[in-house]
Amino acid sequence: MHREQPAPITKIPYLSEIDHLLTNAEKLVQSPTPELVHIIGVKANPTAKGVEIISQTSLGEQLQVLNRSTGNNFIADIPNAQLSLPTGEAYTFRSEKPLAGITEITEDTRPEYKGNQPNNVARNSASLWTTYEIQTGGLKGFGFAGGLFFVGDRQGDLPNTFTLPSYVRTDAAIFYRRDNWQVGLNFKNLFDVYYFESANSENGVFPGAPFTVLGTVSWQF
């Protein structure tokens, strides 16, 4: 039996002449830029556990969300997304006080503001409210209430170019309750403290309400 011998190698090819698979680095460089996802609707809905933010995309794409927290702020970063709301907002969706204990929800897709502190949102805030109602005797049904509200420093705009100072506000109330009805007087900013409540730019800074008295009458069926 005769077996043919393989021909001897007379030329060793250079590495550049060999077809080879792309390395991971080359794949990363040559990968196409991720397409921009358009968010066409945003809703903030209260739930039994807090609040949920629903972002609707134009083609039903699944968003990639990266969560982080800074102080009392919960931030969800959504890469490669752009707001395209039917109401005309191209950059920002804002819902103020959507739920007790939550000051504001903001969704902004301008990349230059990524990592910035949201405006009008304090890292630290606290409140204390107490109520007392007389239960016996001729003054039964009379009551009073009072509380303190502390809000810390906040950024006044999304670029974080200026800061709103902290403040402490005192509120109070007196009321009379009998059977199914109640009358009362509410005193907001009892000591008439001058403070800034919110802002959206250096030319758009809004002071808090001065000392205010509000009368109420309510009836329960």
Side-chain angles (χ1 to χ4, degrees), residues 7 11 18 22 36 49 58 108 115 137 146 170 173 178 195 197 210:
K11 179 183 178 182
I18 302 176
L22 294 175
L36 195 65
K49 296 183 179 180
S58 57
D108 194 286
T170 304
R178 183 171 181 178
Y195 65 96
E197 188 167 36

Side-chain angles (χ1 to χ4, degrees), residues 89-108:
E89 289 89 341
Y91 299 108
T92 303
F93 165 83
R94 176 174 292 137
S95 177
E96 295 185 356
K97 299 179 180 179
L99 190 67
I102 298 179
T103 305
E104 182 180 85
I105 293 174
T106 301
E107 186 164 325
D108 194 286

Side-chain angles (χ1 to χ4, degrees), residues 68-149:
R68 55 192 174 93
S69 297
T70 59
N72 291 332
N73 302 320
F74 177 78
I75 301 173
D77 293 324
I78 306 176
N80 305 311
Q82 172 67 57
L83 285 180
S84 301
L85 302 182
T87 51
E89 289 89 341
Y91 299 108
T92 303
F93 165 83
R94 176 174 292 137
S95 177
E96 295 185 356
K97 299 179 180 179
L99 190 67
I102 298 179
T103 305
E104 182 180 85
I105 293 174
T106 301
E107 186 164 325
D108 194 286
T109 57
R110 285 169 283 190
E112 62 268 29
Y113 299 149
K114 182 178 180 180
N116 285 12
Q117 183 77 8
N119 62 315
N120 301 318
V121 180
R123 289 180 179 271
N124 300 294
S125 61
S127 63
L128 173 66
W129 184 263
T130 184
T131 302
Y132 177 76
E133 181 177 346
I134 300 174
Q135 302 294 326
T136 59
L139 297 179
K140 179 181 179 180
F142 278 98
F144 54 89
L148 298 174
F149 299 85

Side-chain angles (χ1 to χ4, degrees), residues 52-73:
E52 64 178 2
I53 309 300
I54 301 175
S55 297
Q56 180 184 359
T57 59
S58 57
L59 300 177
E61 299 98 328
Q62 185 174 359
L63 298 173
Q64 178 185 2
V65 181
L66 306 175
N67 299 331
R68 55 192 174 93
S69 297
T70 59
N72 291 332
N73 302 320

